[in-house]
Amino acid sequence: MTNKTQSKIGILASGRGSNLQAIIDAVERGDVDAEISVILSNKENAQALERGKKHNIECAFVDPKASPDKESFDREMSRRLKEKQVDLVCLAGYMRILGAEFIETFQGRILNIHPSLLPDFPGLFPQQQALDAGVKVSGCTVHFVELAVDAGPIVLQSAVPVKDSDGVDELAQRILEQEHIIYPRAIQLFLENRLTVSGGRVLIKDD
Ligand code: GRF
């Protein structure tokens, strides 16, 4: 028996929540050694909230219209995460850009997943960007969150082939399967204290 208290994760999501589901499943399997303390969404009808409720996880819609500005909305999100004493904040399809204050509050403790091999194709429609660029390989990236959008030290990446017959949906689906594998893995590495950022690179202990 160990006295170590269970790590706590807070998740921010805006939509479908398939990455959230992958994290929930990994927690339930014991592959991620943590409790999901809260799921917050800026979208009332986010499927992510439904998924969380099904697993009896505390979920809340936080209405951006109830805050006078972006900073106060971020502060409200931050307050709720702090209230739950989360060790790690995971963005899982969270479609808002976090402000400096939020990032400062959880410095080094925010992860995001993006469906491209960053630094290529940040921002919106990365799969379409990959097709337009004609790359033969794309993939996904889990990274620590910094102020710039879809930037920050890279924790894990997974590459997938781009096939001649691919449209956005086919490519997105192939990438998504990898997202669901590397996001829980990156979270577990964080929780095991195996990630160190040095000169903009993430070093993984005992990799
Ligand atoms: C994923 O492709 C993720 O990489 C990106 O937004 C999408 C969210 O999908 N940040 P889901 O809500 O996790 O299904």
Side-chain angles (χ1 to χ4, degrees):
M1 278 292 279
T2 138
N3 287 327
K4 187 185 170 299
T5 53
Q6 182 81 311
S7 300
K8 296 180 197 318
I9 303 177
I11 299 184
L12 307 188
S14 302
R16 178 178 59 180
S18 71
N19 277 287
L20 165 74
Q21 188 67 55
I23 299 167
I24 293 174
D25 294 344
V27 167
E28 292 186 351
R29 280 197 308 271
D31 290 347
V32 166
D33 187 13
E35 155 199 334
I36 301 172
S37 302
V38 68
I39 298 165
L40 301 175
S41 183
N42 60 319
K43 295 281 180 195
E44 190 163 16
N45 298 321
Q47 201 189 335
L49 293 176
E50 292 313 310
R51 291 182 191 265
K53 283 179 203 153
K54 269 195 200 134
H55 292 262
N56 299 316
I57 300 168
E58 185 176 322
C59 292
F61 159 57
V62 184
D63 189 351
K65 290 201 204 84
S67 295
D69 52 34
K70 200 182 154 316
E71 287 71 29
S72 343
F73 177 77
D74 273 6
R75 229 169 273 140
E76 175 58 16
M77 294 300 245
S78 185
R79 187 190 67 73
R80 287 169 180 255
L81 292 163
K82 279 195 256 175
E83 189 176 84
K84 292 288 165 191
Q85 300 184 312
V86 301
D87 301 290
L88 174 67
V89 179
C90 294
L91 310 185
Y94 184 59
M95 299 304 285
R96 283 179 71 98
I97 297 171
L98 294 166
E101 195 179 314
F102 185 100
I103 292 175
E104 176 101 336
T105 303
F106 296 99
Q107 186 62 49
R109 295 190 290 136
I110 314 170
L111 290 176
N112 182 42
I113 184 142
H114 184 76
S116 76
L117 293 176
L118 291 172
D120 282 344
F121 316 134
L124 293 175
F125 313 119
Q127 302 93 344
Q128 185 64 55
Q129 292 186 54
L131 291 175
D132 292 346
V135 294
K136 299 295 185 195
V137 175
S138 191
C140 49
T141 304
V142 179
H143 64 95
F144 282 108
V145 171
E146 288 186 345
L147 204 43
V149 174
D150 298 323
I154 292 169
V155 180
L156 290 179
Q157 292 185 305
S158 180
V160 304
V162 180
K163 299 184 180 171
D164 291 351
S165 57
D166 275 351
V168 172
D169 292 347
E170 289 78 14
L171 180 57
Q173 184 53 38
R174 194 173 308 117
I175 294 174
L176 198 61
E177 285 166 21
Q178 293 304 308
E179 294 185 39
H180 298 165
I181 295 169
I182 67 168
Y183 208 0
R185 196 176 283 163
I187 291 170
Q188 182 59 18
L189 288 170
F190 176 90
L191 296 172
E192 288 174 0
N193 258 323
R194 289 170 61 191
L195 305 179
T196 314
V197 180
S198 169
R201 293 172 70 184
V202 177
L203 310 179
I204 305 178
K205 192 162 175 257
D206 301 329
D207 195 22

